[in-house]
mmCIF file of all heavy atoms in Angstrom:
data_model
loop_
_atom_site.group_PDB
_atom_site.id
_atom_site.type_symbol
_atom_site.label_atom_id
_atom_site.label_comp_id
_atom_site.label_asym_id
_atom_site.label_seq_id
_atom_site.Cartn_x
_atom_site.Cartn_y
_atom_site.Cartn_z
ATOM 1 N N ALA W 32 196.551 15.047 19.040
ATOM 2 C CA ALA W 32 195.103 14.871 19.176
ATOM 3 C C ALA W 32 194.745 13.390 19.238
ATOM 4 O O ALA W 32 193.930 12.953 20.056
ATOM 5 C CB ALA W 32 194.380 15.541 18.008
ATOM 6 N N SER W 90 171.053 -12.798 55.787
ATOM 7 C CA SER W 90 171.966 -12.631 54.653
ATOM 8 C C SER W 90 171.274 -11.978 53.469
ATOM 9 O O SER W 90 171.897 -11.221 52.707
ATOM 10 C CB SER W 90 172.546 -13.982 54.238
ATOM 11 O OG SER W 90 173.245 -14.584 55.303
ATOM 12 N N ASN W 128 186.292 -28.627 55.011
ATOM 13 C CA ASN W 128 185.871 -27.432 55.741
ATOM 14 C C ASN W 128 184.906 -26.628 54.880
ATOM 15 O O ASN W 128 184.598 -26.994 53.742
ATOM 16 C CB ASN W 128 187.089 -26.582 56.137
ATOM 17 C CG ASN W 128 188.019 -26.325 54.956
ATOM 18 O OD1 ASN W 128 187.579 -25.903 53.897
ATOM 19 N ND2 ASN W 128 189.307 -26.607 55.137
ATOM 20 N N ALA W 219 201.116 -13.408 81.407
ATOM 21 C CA ALA W 219 200.154 -14.482 81.137
ATOM 22 C C ALA W 219 198.733 -14.085 81.550
ATOM 23 O O ALA W 219 197.892 -14.941 81.811
ATOM 24 C CB ALA W 219 200.573 -15.780 81.819
ATOM 25 N N ILE W 243 191.900 -22.484 43.662
ATOM 26 C CA ILE W 243 193.242 -22.939 44.005
ATOM 27 C C ILE W 243 193.284 -23.540 45.407
ATOM 28 O O ILE W 243 194.014 -24.504 45.667
ATOM 29 C CB ILE W 243 194.240 -21.756 43.920
ATOM 30 C CG1 ILE W 243 194.325 -21.233 42.488
ATOM 31 C CG2 ILE W 243 195.622 -22.156 44.428
ATOM 32 C CD1 ILE W 243 195.115 -19.942 42.371
ATOM 33 N N LEU W 261 194.468 -20.115 58.093
ATOM 34 C CA LEU W 261 195.926 -20.099 58.239
ATOM 35 C C LEU W 261 196.629 -20.688 57.022
ATOM 36 O O LEU W 261 197.758 -20.322 56.707
ATOM 37 C CB LEU W 261 196.336 -20.857 59.510
ATOM 38 C CG LEU W 261 196.016 -20.142 60.826
ATOM 39 C CD1 LEU W 261 196.391 -21.009 62.015
ATOM 40 C CD2 LEU W 261 196.737 -18.798 60.902
ATOM 41 N N ASN W 298 166.104 -7.783 72.659
ATOM 42 C CA ASN W 298 166.121 -6.804 71.579
ATOM 43 C C ASN W 298 164.898 -6.895 70.675
ATOM 44 O O ASN W 298 164.880 -6.302 69.586
ATOM 45 C CB ASN W 298 167.388 -6.982 70.753
ATOM 46 C CG ASN W 298 168.626 -6.608 71.522
ATOM 47 O OD1 ASN W 298 169.011 -5.454 71.607
ATOM 48 N ND2 ASN W 298 169.305 -7.606 72.111
ATOM 49 N N ASN W 299 163.889 -7.626 71.130
ATOM 50 C CA ASN W 299 162.638 -7.772 70.385
ATOM 51 C C ASN W 299 162.867 -8.244 68.947
ATOM 52 O O ASN W 299 162.272 -7.733 67.988
ATOM 53 C CB ASN W 299 161.861 -6.447 70.356
ATOM 54 C CG ASN W 299 161.417 -6.025 71.737
ATOM 55 O OD1 ASN W 299 160.918 -6.846 72.509
ATOM 56 N ND2 ASN W 299 161.582 -4.749 72.062
#
Side-chain angles (χ1 to χ4, degrees):
S90 301
N128 50 50
I243 297 171
L261 288 177
N298 292 276
N299 296 315

